[in-house]
Amino acid sequence: MLQITRVLSRSCAGLRWHHCSVAEVKNEPILEYRHGSSEREALHKALQELKGKTEEIPCVVGGEAVWTEDVRYQLSPFKHGHKVAKYCYADKDLLNKAINAALSARREWDLKPVQDRAQIFFKAADILSGPRRAEILAKTMIGQGKTVIQAEIDAAAELIDFFRFNAKYALELQHEQLISVPVSTNTLVYRGLEGFIAAVSPFNFTAIGGNLAGAPALMGNVVLWKPSDTAMLSSYAVYKTLLEAGLPPNVIQFIPADGPVFGDTVTGSEHLCGINFTGSVPTFKRLWKQVAENLERYRTFPRLSGECGGKNFHFVHKSADVESAVNGVIRSAFEYGGQKCSACSRLYVPDSLWPRIKARLLEEHRKIKVGDPAEDFSTFFSAVIDDRAFRRIAGWIKHAETSPSLSILAGGKCNDDVGYYVEPTIIETKDPKEKIISEEIFGPILTVYVYPENKYRDVLHLIDSTSPYGLTGAVFAQDKSVIEEASRVLRNAAGNFYINDKSTGAVVAQQPFGGSRASGTNDKPGGRHYILRWTSPQAVKETHVPLTEWTYPYMQ
Ligand code: NAD
């Protein structure tokens, strides 16, 4: 422990925002960006610097920047005329080079003391917390269409927390040791996995990309990180921060690539030892099947970790605090345009409360401002991520317009002239199994089902059986017996279960995140257990007493 404290103290010497002992690691405070604050000023400046700019982002393989001819652009979702990044896709050859480069660094990195590895992540967190905070926020806002607060809780707070808490957990894990006896000492050695890890990240959280690649690296693994095409700008900033913090160049290879080309190449390598994925169910299933098909080839059984989609519910009981339920729904369903895996997309309301809740929802809905989050800080959410998402979501609205059991209560307009804008949309369904209330949409669309007040038990079972997912869900009720009953019935319906709170906003170390069923492997990033997925422990027994004979006493 002493040694750990000493190393950490050195890492943060002279920095105002330092953490000097593992016990002191705390959640990063969320800044408010009020008028006149220094953080607001810094953010304005960083946004200004990105205006009209296109950053060039290469593949980084073997520590070198590499360009291929397959050049692509990342567009700003709310102003698609602005190309925020120019990057290129790695081809199969380059991906294979990246695998070799990673493998060449593996032994040395894995043998590095965990204190040294952890120190890099503490330092990266300090850099993100201080000098690079505004830059990474601005890149997340412009590139992924986030508002100030959504960028702050993601690219600053969550990412910093991931790095610090994972490092803390990795250091504490060293003390999770075995029983030693007078004749022998037993030790668990927390090794990295043998081979390389493929980290595949989604567009919607800058923090997730950093964690998918960062957590395995912290545990002594080498990683091929394929960032999302629509989060390139912020992902590259995270990568550069890790290098700046001292991550050796070959530990994480940064390789933008076509999804299937990347997936086919990594699952085809005998050295694949793990996939750390966050994204949609079809992509994860495809990767899992490819691993199964290639099973004979691998040197070790690859570990598969995948956090996927959701169809998250808010259940309102007649005893609920109506105001809290309404505000929770507005935030959860519409913040970041419903593009959080945890966003509420189905709402169950008792008929007795519906007139009040409907009136309040429509009243608040009218106040929601959708627009350019960089120019106008009073914007509540912005455009959806790209033209594909725009068309998909518009398709759902068309479906709502034509389906006899659905009626659009608010919103429903889409416009992609300047950016991929979709209005916050509230739909009522008379059919509780309509596909709009069971399939993931991933946009600003909320579907409401109104149930007879005295049938709430049936509705709990309905919620449990409506969708294939099990990610997040919330129960709003003041009646304690209803909360207990709902917790029992919905035990498997949500990996993150909220009581009188909205279904979004999980905080590292407070609500580790993930769900089962079709929502993924529920490895709970943000929790202490998560890093165990990225270590392959070796049990070492050292005997201090020589063996003097091979026969046993009872044999004599
Ligand atoms: P996506 O599945 O389209 O893409 C995810 C990543 O996979 C991207 O980097 C993409 O390029 C890559 N990819 C695509 N095809 C591939 C292939 N064949 N092989 C390898 N990689 C491939 O998902 P998305 O649109 O970026 O993200 C949205 C989805 O992510 C939603 O379903 C959302 O619910 C889910 N999500 C879940 C969590 C969670 O923690 N459960 C968090 C964030 C997002």
Side-chain angles (χ1 to χ4, degrees):
M1 192 64 205
L2 257 181
Q3 192 192 355
I4 290 164
T5 308
R6 186 173 52 75
V7 171
L8 298 184
S9 303
R10 183 160 24 99
S11 83
C12 43
L15 296 179
R16 190 168 45 82
W17 49 85
H18 65 183
H19 289 285
C20 283
S21 101
V22 168
E24 276 176 25
V25 171
K26 291 197 176 72
N27 288 113
E28 174 74 4
I30 292 168
L31 303 184
E32 293 189 319
Y33 298 87
R34 286 177 192 267
H35 271 288
S37 64
S38 57
E39 70 261 19
R40 189 176 174 111
E41 198 184 316
L43 180 59
H44 271 308
K45 198 163 156 254
L47 286 167
Q48 198 58 33
E49 276 167 14
L50 293 179
K51 237 182 178 165
K53 294 258 171 61
T54 306
E55 183 168 332
E56 305 224 337
I57 298 178
C59 298
V60 186
V61 173
E64 286 181 12
V66 183
W67 281 93
T68 67
E69 280 172 9
D70 195 351
V71 169
R72 310 265 159 161
Y73 292 92
Q74 180 190 350
L75 311 181
S76 178
F78 53 88
K79 207 182 270 173
H80 46 52
H82 179 193
K83 295 174 173 163
V84 298
K86 175 184 175 185
Y87 63 96
C88 65
Y89 273 171
D91 55 20
K92 218 172 160 39
D93 279 352
L94 189 57
L95 284 164
N96 282 319
K97 273 194 190 124
I99 292 174
N100 290 333
L103 292 173
S104 71
R106 195 188 73 76
R107 264 180 189 281
E108 194 184 337
W109 178 243
D110 181 38
L111 286 172
K112 216 181 212 346
V114 65
Q115 289 85 348
D116 293 1
R117 285 187 259 120
Q119 186 187 346
I120 294 168
F121 286 86
F122 281 121
K123 181 145 184 228
D126 287 348
I127 295 170
L128 289 166
S129 171
R132 277 191 184 265
R133 193 185 201 108
E135 176 202 333
I136 209 132
L137 244 66
K139 287 182 170 174
T140 300
M141 289 173 70
I142 301 271
Q144 288 136 272
K146 293 209 171 188
T147 58
V148 176
I149 183 66
Q150 293 304 312
E152 167 72 11
I153 60 171
D154 165 16
E158 183 166 290
L159 182 55
I160 292 165
D161 284 351
F162 273 142
F163 284 171
R164 286 193 182 133
F165 278 95
N166 284 341
K168 167 185 157 77
Y169 296 149
L171 292 170
E172 288 171 347
L173 189 62
Q174 306 306 310
H175 303 287
E176 295 265 324
Q177 281 301 340
L178 307 169
I179 296 174
S180 289
V181 290
V183 291
S184 65
T185 306
N186 299 307
T187 317
L188 264 189
V189 177
Y190 293 97
R191 304 171 302 179
L193 277 56
E194 196 180 8
F196 73 92
I197 306 277
V200 181
S201 52
F203 76 84
N204 65 339
F205 274 84
T206 302
I208 292 178
N211 190 48
L212 289 173
L218 166 72
M219 299 307 290
N221 298 283
V222 290
V223 181
L224 263 65
W225 177 13
K226 193 206 91 54
S228 166
D229 292 356
T230 40
M232 207 53 79
L233 188 63
S234 61
S235 300
Y236 191 53
V238 173
Y239 182 62
K240 283 195 304 188
T241 303
L242 284 169
L243 296 180
E244 192 181 330
L247 189 79
N250 268 323
V251 172
I252 298 178
Q253 315 282 324
F254 183 84
I255 19 190
D258 172 59
V261 170
F262 182 87
D264 295 355
T265 312
V266 295
T267 55
S269 166
E270 64 184 302
H271 299 288
L272 178 74
C273 65
I275 295 181
N276 202 10
F277 174 84
T278 298
S280 64
V281 173
T283 309
F284 189 47
K285 282 191 173 167
R286 181 185 153 121
L287 287 166
W288 194 299
K289 282 180 194 155
Q290 285 181 309
V291 167
E293 277 159 16
N294 284 311
L295 211 49
E296 296 303 330
R297 199 185 275 253
Y298 301 127
R299 294 175 174 225
T300 186
F301 288 97
R303 291 208 186 153
L304 306 178
S305 179
E307 304 301 331
C308 304
K311 188 71 186 177
N312 312 298
F313 59 85
H314 279 196
F315 165 77
V316 181
H317 182 252
K318 66 175 180 187
S319 66
D321 172 336
V322 167
E323 272 312 291
S324 177
V326 167
N327 289 326
V329 167
I330 296 277
R331 279 198 175 174
S332 178
F334 299 127
E335 274 184 323
Y336 195 37
Q339 300 172 109
K340 294 186 185 187
C341 40
S342 54
C344 167
S345 61
R346 46 188 182 128
L347 169 65
Y348 297 83
V349 182
D351 50 6
S352 53
L353 287 184
W354 180 229
R356 240 172 95 199
I357 291 189
K358 181 178 173 182
R360 288 289 298 114
L361 277 177
L362 297 183
E363 192 182 341
E364 294 310 309
H365 177 273
R366 280 191 289 276
K367 299 180 196 161
I368 295 175
K369 198 186 251 184
V370 181
D372 180 332
E375 288 292 332
D376 180 359
F377 279 13
S378 67
T379 297
F380 185 60
F381 73 88
S382 179
V384 299
I385 193 70
D386 60 13
D387 57 341
R388 248 183 49 215
F390 179 83
R391 285 198 303 273
R392 194 188 64 238
I393 298 163
W396 277 106
I397 292 175
K398 186 125 251 110
H399 169 70
E401 285 166 353
T402 52
S403 168
S405 48
L406 304 177
S407 40
I408 298 178
L409 305 182
K413 291 203 201 67
C414 308
N415 185 317
D416 63 350
D417 291 348
V418 178
Y420 306 109
Y421 286 107
V422 180
E423 278 186 345
T425 301
I426 305 176
I427 293 166
E428 185 181 348
T429 181
K430 296 285 176 212
D431 173 3
K433 295 272 184 177
E434 225 286 343
K435 67 176 183 175
I436 205 160
I437 203 165
S438 63
E439 293 180 20
E440 187 179 51
I441 298 175
F442 226 57
I445 296 183
L446 171 73
T447 304
V448 189
Y449 177 67
V450 180
Y451 65 88
E453 178 191 277
N454 59 357
K455 291 269 198 250
Y456 82 87
R457 283 200 175 90
D458 296 347
V459 168
L460 291 177
H461 289 283
L462 173 75
I463 292 172
D464 187 45
S465 58
T466 295
S467 102
Y469 299 104
L471 196 51
T472 75
V475 170
F476 289 84
Q478 299 299 317
D479 183 332
K480 290 270 183 262
S481 67
V482 171
I483 293 174
E484 274 168 30
E485 189 174 5
S487 308
R488 273 197 306 274
V489 176
L490 298 170
R491 188 172 164 87
N492 295 305
N496 284 64
F497 187 64
Y498 294 86
I499 298 166
N500 292 317
D501 202 345
K502 64 186 170 58
S503 61
T504 56
V507 173
V508 170
Q510 294 187 30
Q511 298 93 21
F513 192 77
S516 49
R517 295 186 177 167
S519 294
T521 51
N522 198 16
D523 290 305
K524 286 283 185 275
R528 171 180 300 282
H529 311 102
Y530 181 66
I531 54 165
L532 290 174
R533 292 291 277 158
W534 310 114
T535 178
S536 177
Q538 181 185 48
V540 180
K541 175 186 179 188
E542 183 182 359
T543 292
H544 310 301
V545 181
L547 195 59
T548 50
E549 51 189 328
W550 61 269
T551 56
Y552 293 95
Y554 75 89
M555 293 164 72
Q556 268 123 46

